[in-house]
Amino acid sequence: MEKQERNRKMKFLTTTETGKKWNLSARRVGVLCSEGRIPDVQKTGNTWLIPENAEKPADARIKSGKYIKSKIETEEQAE
């Protein structure tokens, strides 16, 4: 019951509005919602509703390059 009351007071934005706010495409915001990376989102029909005060999730891509195996390492492991 508390969550429903809290949600009534919260203001929500669409994926398009949030995308403009975060400098992302609406499609990317929708993907973040479906992956569960934005807390307290709600899906109403085909529309994701993102809380107005939600923070942009950190970029989860690997930046170190450690996941890339060189050709030599791959050949050595095969032997």
Side-chain angles (χ1 to χ4, degrees):
M1 185 74 174
E2 290 177 21
K3 188 173 183 178
Q4 288 177 342
E5 289 175 14
R6 184 178 58 158
N7 288 341
R8 289 182 193 160
K9 296 175 186 175
M10 293 176 73
K11 290 192 176 188
F12 291 93
L13 302 174
T14 63
T15 54
T16 304
E17 294 167 335
T18 305
K20 288 178 184 176
K21 179 179 172 183
W22 291 347
N23 197 26
L24 296 173
S25 69
R27 173 73 178 142
R28 181 66 186 144
V29 174
V31 169
L32 292 171
C33 291
S34 64
E35 290 176 347
R37 301 215 13 233
I38 304 172
D40 298 326
V41 296
Q42 297 179 7
K43 190 162 188 183
T44 304
N46 292 331
T47 305
W48 285 104
L49 299 175
I50 300 112
E52 186 177 48
N53 60 354
E55 294 185 20
K56 181 180 177 181
D59 190 351
R61 294 178 290 182
I62 297 172
K63 296 178 183 167
S64 65
K66 291 183 181 180
Y67 64 96
I68 300 173
K69 292 184 179 181
S70 69
K71 185 176 179 182
I72 296 170
E73 288 177 0
T74 307
E75 290 173 356
E76 289 175 354
Q77 289 178 354
E79 294 175 354

